[in-house]
Amino acid sequence: MAPMDAKTAILARARDAIGRSQQGRPVRPIPRDYIRSTSDAPGSDTVVEEMIEKLEDYSAKVVLAPTDAEVADAIDSFLEGLGSVVVPTGLDAPFKKAAARSGRTVREDSREKAIPTLELDTIDAVVTRSRVGISISGTIVLDGEPDQGRRAISLVPDTHVVVLERSAIVPTVPQAVDVLGENPLRPMTWIAGGSATSDIELVRVNGVHGPRNLRVVIAH
C-alpha cells in the first residue's frame, strides 16, 4: 500500500477518533514522536546564525552582546530617539538603567501595579527578557515571568527590545515546547518578527497586533 499524504492521514485519524467516540470506544493515543534536532546543540554557532537570519528576514534588527555591559549599550542604542520606555519590575537593574539613558522616562509595570492600557499606548517602547528562542522559525517566546512582564506591555508599545540568552536558542519547536512545558500554566507570547499582515493584494501593513519594531539582543 502506498503511503498516505499528510492531508489523507489527518482526515483518517479524525474519522477514526469520531467513530470511536460515537461507539464509546477509547480514542487511540496521539503520537508524540516529534522530530528533534540532535546535530546542532542549543546556543551553538549554527543555531545562532540561523536565528539571526530568520529574525532579519522578518525585518527585526539583531545584535550580539557577549557581556552585560554590551547588552546595556545595545539596549540604549536600540532606544535611540525614543522618549519613554516601560519595563517589567523583574528586569535586570543594569538594563533598566540603560533604558533610562539620554533622559528617557522609564516606567515599571507588574501585575500588582499594572499601567492602564491607554497609558501604555502613549509609551514608545518596552524592554524585556525572554524564555526561549526557536532558530528554525525565528520565534521568541515570553512566559510572563517578572523579567518579561505582563503580555500587555509586550503588545502595546510600538518598539519591543528583547534580550535573548544565546543558550536559550534551540533548533526546533518541540525542543522549545519541552522548555515551556516545565511551567505550562505561565501565559505565553510567541513572537516571530514585528507585527505585520498583508491584504489580498499582498500589501504589507506593519503594527497590526503588536509592536511594529522588533529589536533583539542576543546575550552571552
Side-chain angles (χ1 to χ4, degrees), residues 49-72:
E49 288 170 5
E50 182 179 46
M51 185 76 186
I52 293 173
E53 179 184 355
K54 295 297 173 59
L55 285 168
E56 290 180 341
D57 190 50
Y58 292 142
S59 300
K61 293 184 178 180
V62 188
V63 66
L64 293 169
T67 67
D68 283 349
E70 289 173 286
V71 172

Side-chain angles (χ1 to χ4, degrees), residues 90-128:
L91 187 68
D92 313 60
F95 302 165
K96 292 179 183 178
K97 291 180 180 179
R101 292 181 191 174
S102 303
R104 285 182 291 264
T105 300
V106 174
R107 297 184 62 182
E108 293 192 23
D109 180 274
S110 66
R111 293 185 181 87
E112 295 73 25
K113 294 183 178 180
I115 299 172
T117 303
L118 290 179
E119 292 183 31
L120 282 176
D121 196 37
T122 67
I123 297 176
D124 297 322
V126 57
V127 180
T128 73

